């Protein structure tokens, strides 16, 4: 090789090395002048996800308020929304010591990611600022707390999740109020089926699991299972509440009370059945109003004829799922980043910002907001009504996807259709579900 | 002169090393380890023993072979047949060729979404065609009896690639062979079966090879349509590896990757030998 060629080769190699090094640079705080810049991987604009859109606007407001002191750089992240790939994506970043300074996860994902040792523990921050710690609603930190008391995330919402029901359809079979027991629900469902209508719109994933959770939670011992046993592995097929709930839900499919496209895992199938007026009931959270019921996809007049109810009870009373699973986590490692992260956490959990979020997304604040402010905020009545309904419910418990093992969702989607189609018995289904869901524990 | 030549190869060598050779070495090395990304411990053949004893793995191998069989036994023969017909320059053959090639350039994800609507039990086109004929409404993608067939049905009719390769090969067959056969009084059927088909051996072998290598790593169609369910009826080797990866069992996932590589290698050797790909008869 000539001297000239060697020089050219050396220059190419040096440029490649420099490019590689810059591409692999970690995510520690960048100081521009006196401004501390941190990264957010869940703050991008989204025309379809009201939570991401809210995060984007909140980060923008934060940047304006703290201009010159702190700034959030919003990363464009395809895994920002809830998805099966999300945990694995952040696990890869954790291994590369390149976690974003702030991003959001649900509690099962938080539990898994905390094992990398790369998540910031907020315990010290909450202990050091008891006034701020006291603003959170009771129980809102529970699902975000580790085995040894570490607080891995700051909650964004605390949402009661119940059931939307079509008052006209249920009225057509003699129900002026939503059924308060599962037996009454089944009577109404049978009557609706006779009229050629569906009682319940499900999707094989989120909404189906909501119904399963409600069926478990409203029985003796069910709450204990949903707040304890489910998270720790073990064989669920010996739990009577779980067996009874599972068989009852399967029977509804067999009887034709549920839409036939209820296995895809795509919530839009459940939403379409309800929004078209074909199904009388759909379980979902308060955001359903803004993202579905108030859109053009809903049949005319459906909003006006939609009511909201907590879950019917079985023997011991009615209940409701309360989710405070989604939380802000932090991968910040250096002090300036952590200082900026805490500034944002305080900003985003301030009552006025929490109210802004409630207005924008329909979700309910994780912090206590003065009643007067709540009234003057003029929140959407249907979703705000969930808070009142939740207060009267006898039981509250987390959704299985929030408190269950991280592998629960894929395992459920794989096994549930085969179980409903009669290809395995209840014991086999629950044994395999618990084993597969816990495989990564 | 050698200097500039070597220099011009450098980018390709660097890219090949970074994106292929290094990952391949990592795959081979870690397939024999218990690796979750952080800690790595050599476990010998444990990952492979675990695979052999896992009924789900046996199932996904069967599913993958089923999809490979669908490609080679349906897609390739059908594509070759259509290619032979179009090569006779039937009226509108150019338009047919273009239309039949379009599905080949649609992304797998978009294709999966189209078919998820087609198979939808409540409002999908398939049930809306069959139910009025008195057939029962089915959930094609979520019944174990139909799910694999429904998945295969999404790709076996993507004939564009096979058609184009077949037509290109036919165009290279000397016209004198057909003229001589005609003089000898051969029928159209005899010309196609005695001249065209034997001379298409190389093209058919190439098509089989390409389809096998494309389908052995099948992931996107299955992931979007059924996520491998119900009860792993549609899961493939690639999806199985992906699940292991999501569970943090990276060593185990890479053992599956190694199985895919070995299976792919064996298929290449078998198909090349069966079709004598690369050898010329004329």
């Amino acid at each position: 090789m000539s001297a000239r060629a060697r020089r050219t080769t050396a220059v190419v190699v040096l440029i490649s090395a420099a490019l590689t090094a810059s591409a692999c640079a970690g995510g520690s705080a960048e100081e521009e002048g006196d401004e501390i810049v941190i990264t957010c991987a869940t703050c991008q604009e989204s025309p379809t996800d009201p939570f991401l859109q809210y995060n984007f606007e909140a980060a923008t407001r934060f940047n304006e308020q703290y201009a010159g002191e702190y700034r959030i750089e919003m990363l464009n992240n395809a895994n920002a929304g809830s998805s099966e790939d999300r945990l694995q994506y952040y696990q890869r970043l954790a291994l590369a010591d390149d976690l974003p300074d702030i991003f959001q996860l649900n509690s099962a994902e938080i539990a898994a990611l905390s094992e990398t040792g790369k998540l910031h523990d907020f315990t010290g921050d909450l202990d050091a600022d008891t006034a701020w710690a006291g603003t959170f609603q009771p129980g809102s930190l529970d699902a975000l707390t580790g085995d040894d008391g570490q607080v891995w995330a700051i909650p964004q919402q605390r949402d009661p999740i119940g059931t939307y029901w079509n008052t006209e359809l249920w009225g057509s079979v003699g129900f002026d109020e939503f059924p308060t027991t599962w037996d009454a629900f089944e009577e109404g469902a049978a009557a609706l089926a006779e009229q050629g209508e569906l009682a319940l719109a499900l999707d094989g994933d989120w909404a189906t699991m909501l119904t399963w959770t409600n069926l478990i939670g409203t029985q003796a011992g069910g709450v204990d299972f949903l707040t304890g046993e489910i998270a720790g592995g073990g064989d669920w097929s010996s739990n009577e509440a779980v067996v009874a709930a599972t068989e009852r839900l399967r029977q509804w499919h067999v009887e034709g009370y549920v839409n036939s496209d209820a296995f895809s895992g795509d919530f839009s199938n459940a939403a379409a059945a309800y929004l078209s007026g074909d199904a009388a009931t759909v379980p979902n959270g308060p955001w359903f109003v803004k993202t579905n019921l108030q859109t053009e996809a809903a049949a005319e007049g459906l909003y006006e004829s939609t009511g909201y109810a907590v879950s019917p009870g079985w023997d011991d009373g009615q209940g409701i799922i309360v989710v405070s699973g989604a939380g802000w986590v932090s991968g910040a490692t250096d002090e300036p980043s952590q200082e900026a992260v805490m500034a944002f956490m305080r900003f985003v959990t301030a009552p006025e910002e929490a109210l802004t979020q409630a207005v924008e997304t329909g979700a309910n604040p994780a912090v206590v907001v003065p009643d007067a402010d709540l009234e003057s905020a003029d929140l959407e009545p249907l979703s705000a009504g969930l808070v009142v309904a939740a207060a009267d419910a006898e039981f509250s418990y987390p959704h299985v996807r929030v408190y269950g093992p991280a592998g629960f969702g894929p395992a459920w989607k794989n096994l549930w259709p085969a179980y409903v189609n009669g290809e395995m018995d209840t014991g086999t289904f629950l044994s395999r579900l618990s084993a597969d869901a816990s495989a990564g524990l | 002169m050698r200097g500039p030549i070597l220099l011009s190869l450098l980018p390709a060598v660097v890219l090949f090393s970074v994106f292929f050779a290094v990952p391949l070495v990592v795959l081979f090395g870690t397939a024999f380890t218990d690796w979750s990304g952080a800690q790595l411990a050599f476990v010998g053949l444990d990952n492979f023993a675990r695979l052999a004893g896992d009924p789900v793995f046996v199932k996904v191998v069967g599913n993958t072979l089923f999809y490979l069989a669908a490609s080679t036994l349906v897609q390739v023969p059908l594509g070759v047949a259509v290619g032979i017909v179009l090569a006779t320059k039937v009226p509108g053959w150019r338009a047919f060729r273009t239309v039949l090639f379009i599905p080949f350039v649609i992304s797998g994800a978009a294709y999966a979404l189209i078919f998820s609507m087609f198979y939808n039990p409540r409002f999908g086109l398939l049930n809306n065609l069959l139910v009025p004929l008195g057939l029962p409404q089915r959930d094609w993608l979520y019944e174990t009896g139909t799910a694999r067939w429904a998945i295969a049905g999404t790709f076996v009719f993507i004939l564009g690639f096979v058609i184009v390769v077949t037509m290109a090969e036919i165009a290279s067959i000397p016209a004198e062979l057909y003229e001589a056969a005609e003089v000898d009084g051969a029928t159209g059927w005899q010309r196609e079966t005695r001249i065209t088909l034997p001379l298409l051996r190389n093209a058919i072998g190439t098509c089989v090879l390409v389809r096998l290598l494309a389908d052995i790593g099948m992931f996107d169609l299955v992931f979007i349509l059924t996520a491998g369910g119900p009860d792993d009826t549609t899961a493939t080797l690639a999806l199985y590896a992906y699940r292991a990866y999501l569970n943090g069992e990276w060593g185990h996932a890479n053992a599956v990757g190694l199985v895919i590589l070995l299976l792919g290698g064996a298929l290449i050797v078998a198909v090349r030998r069966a079709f004598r790909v690369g050898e010329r008869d004329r």
Side-chain angles (χ1 to χ4, degrees):
Chain A
M1 193 186 280
S2 69
R4 192 174 171 185
R6 278 199 298 273
R7 273 199 305 276
T8 311
T9 308
V11 168
V12 169
V13 170
L14 279 173
I15 291 171
S16 304
L19 286 172
T20 307
S22 65
C24 296
S28 62
E30 198 181 306
E31 294 194 45
E32 290 179 6
D34 292 332
E35 193 177 55
I36 300 170
V37 182
I38 58 170
T39 54
C40 174
T42 329
C43 298
Q44 67 207 57
E45 282 187 284
S46 171
T48 54
D49 187 328
F51 292 97
L52 288 181
Q53 182 62 26
Y54 162 75
N55 293 349
F56 168 75
E57 289 168 10
T60 304
R61 285 191 287 273
F62 176 83
N63 285 346
E64 284 167 7
Q65 185 171 323
Y66 288 95
E69 193 176 356
Y70 307 119
R71 181 161 59 84
I72 293 175
E73 188 181 299
M74 295 170 234
L75 306 176
N76 200 4
N77 172 19
N79 294 288
S82 177
S83 76
E84 285 166 13
D85 299 340
R86 184 165 72 172
L87 173 62
Q88 185 234 357
Y89 168 73
Y90 288 117
Q91 280 173 328
R92 280 206 310 266
L93 292 181
L95 286 169
D97 276 332
D98 199 22
L99 279 176
D101 294 307
I102 46 173
F103 55 107
Q104 289 182 312
L105 292 175
N106 72 37
S107 58
E109 293 163 338
I110 290 166
L113 195 63
S114 67
E115 288 173 11
T116 63
K118 303 290 170 61
L119 278 186
H120 176 70
D121 178 5
F122 289 98
T123 314
D125 306 294
L126 289 162
D127 289 346
D129 190 347
T130 50
W132 178 57
T135 63
F136 290 97
Q137 295 213 41
S140 58
L141 293 166
D142 290 354
L144 310 172
T145 301
D147 292 340
D148 299 321
Q150 311 96 323
V151 178
W152 297 119
I154 299 300
Q156 167 125 347
Q157 309 95 22
R158 187 169 182 271
D159 282 324
I161 299 177
T163 305
Y164 293 89
W165 60 290
N166 185 321
T167 55
E168 286 180 14
L169 280 179
W170 279 100
S172 71
V173 290
F175 285 84
D176 295 331
E177 298 289 334
F178 192 66
T180 54
T181 68
W182 290 118
D183 286 342
F185 178 86
E186 283 182 358
E187 281 170 33
L192 284 164
E194 269 181 38
Q195 291 181 183
E197 284 139 0
L198 297 163
L200 186 59
L202 297 179
D203 60 358
D205 191 358
W206 165 258
T208 303
M209 289 183 223
L210 282 173
T211 309
W212 191 65
T213 308
N214 277 321
L215 278 163
I216 294 171
T218 48
Q219 297 175 78
V223 173
D224 293 340
F225 172 79
L226 294 169
T227 53
E229 187 182 345
I230 191 172
D235 187 348
W236 304 337
S237 65
S238 55
N239 186 305
E240 285 178 24
V242 178
V243 170
T246 307
E247 291 182 340
R248 196 159 198 167
L249 185 52
R250 174 170 70 172
Q251 194 57 27
W252 295 352
H253 283 266
V254 174
E255 301 286 352
Y257 302 163
V258 180
N259 48 311
S260 57
D261 54 349
F263 298 115
S264 65
D266 183 353
F267 181 75
S268 64
N269 280 345
Y274 184 82
L275 297 177
S276 62
D278 292 345
T281 318
V282 64
N284 204 357
W287 51 84
F288 180 73
V289 177
K290 192 175 177 70
T291 56
N292 289 277
L293 208 49
Q294 290 181 327
T295 66
E296 286 180 3
E300 203 176 332
L302 188 65
Y303 175 84
E304 288 74 22
S305 58
T306 291
Y308 179 79
V310 298
S311 167
W314 201 318
D315 299 321
D316 295 329
Q318 292 180 263
I320 193 160
I321 294 165
V322 178
V323 170
S324 57
W328 288 103
V329 295
S330 172
T333 50
D334 56 293
E335 217 165 283
S337 297
Q338 287 169 358
E339 178 192 316
V341 166
M342 287 315 301
F344 181 67
M345 291 302 141
R346 289 190 175 86
F347 174 85
V348 83
T349 54
E352 56 271 30
E353 191 60 36
L355 259 188
T356 305
Q357 188 209 181
V359 172
E360 296 293 324
T361 66
N364 295 290
V367 295
V368 177
V369 177
D371 290 347
D373 292 350
L374 263 179
E375 278 175 33
S376 61
D378 196 21
L379 296 177
E380 195 287 310
L382 199 55
S383 54
L386 312 183
V387 181
V388 179
D392 294 334
E394 194 155 345
F395 302 112
S396 67
Y397 34 82
H399 183 25
V400 289
R401 207 163 73 173
V402 169
Y403 202 64
F408 188 92
W412 177 277
K413 275 179 67 178
N414 182 34
L415 299 172
W416 178 247
Y419 170 64
V420 171
N421 287 325
E423 284 147 19
M424 59 180 83
D425 59 32
T426 308
T428 307
F429 168 68
L430 289 173
S431 292
R432 287 189 56 192
L433 179 67
S434 45
D436 291 359
S438 308
L441 284 177
Chain B
M1 192 61 195
R2 279 180 63 202
I5 291 173
L6 289 174
L7 193 62
S8 68
L9 289 175
L10 190 64
V13 171
V14 170
L15 289 173
F16 178 84
S17 304
V18 172
F19 295 110
F20 187 75
V22 172
L24 199 64
V25 171
V26 172
L27 178 83
F28 270 93
T30 56
F32 302 93
T33 65
D34 180 6
W35 183 37
S36 62
Q39 285 131 359
L40 188 142
F42 181 75
V43 293
L45 293 172
D46 282 6
N47 285 330
F48 297 93
R50 195 177 140 198
L51 288 178
D54 182 358
V56 176
F57 180 74
V58 174
K59 203 180 239 186
V60 301
V61 170
N63 294 339
T64 306
L65 293 176
F66 175 83
Y67 297 137
L68 295 180
S71 281
T72 50
L73 300 178
V74 180
Q75 190 181 34
V76 174
L78 206 56
V80 169
V82 174
I84 290 172
V85 172
L86 292 184
T88 61
K89 310 277 170 71
V90 291
W93 68 274
R94 281 198 179 86
F96 274 119
R97 186 183 58 183
T98 306
V99 168
L100 290 169
F101 196 74
I102 288 172
F104 186 68
V105 295
I106 295 176
S107 82
Y111 212 71
L113 288 176
I114 291 168
F115 271 90
S116 70
M117 289 186 271
F118 176 74
Y119 286 128
N120 185 285
R122 213 157 58 88
F123 55 78
L125 182 62
L126 187 58
N127 273 342
N128 280 318
L129 288 172
L130 298 179
V131 172
L133 300 175
L135 294 164
Q137 187 190 55
R138 304 201 76 102
D139 192 349
W140 300 93
L141 289 169
Y142 290 96
E143 288 178 26
T144 50
T146 57
R148 267 196 328 191
W149 297 92
I151 295 276
T154 64
F155 67 85
V156 292
F157 300 113
I158 303 176
L159 307 176
F161 174 78
V162 182
I163 290 172
V164 168
V165 171
T166 303
M167 291 179 74
E169 187 75 357
I170 290 174
S172 72
I173 299 175
E176 298 84 49
L177 292 174
Y178 292 106
E179 286 162 6
E182 208 167 324
V183 169
D184 290 341
T187 63
W189 174 254
Q190 284 170 327
R191 285 201 298 271
E192 300 304 342
T193 53
R194 305 279 174 82
I195 299 173
T196 310
L197 265 183
L199 292 178
L200 279 178
R201 195 201 65 237
N202 251 297
I204 293 171
T206 303
C207 289
V208 169
L209 257 186
V210 169
R211 290 317 315 159
L212 289 180
L213 293 181
D215 293 341
I216 200 170
M218 185 186 290
F219 178 83
D220 52 356
L221 266 176
V222 173
F223 183 70
I224 294 170
L225 282 170
T226 61
D231 193 14
D232 304 308
T233 309
T234 59
T236 58
L237 279 165
L239 193 77
Y240 184 91
Y242 174 74
R243 285 177 183 167
Y245 192 56
L246 280 185
N247 280 339
E249 299 172 306
W250 295 11
H252 190 59
N254 285 350
V256 183
L258 195 52
V259 170
I260 294 174
L261 272 178
L262 294 174
L263 190 57
L267 287 170
I268 289 173
V269 171
V271 171
R272 283 181 68 87
R273 283 196 178 166
F275 288 89
R276 289 183 283 130
V277 176
E279 296 173 27
R280 282 284 167 193
D281 292 328
R282 60 179 194 273

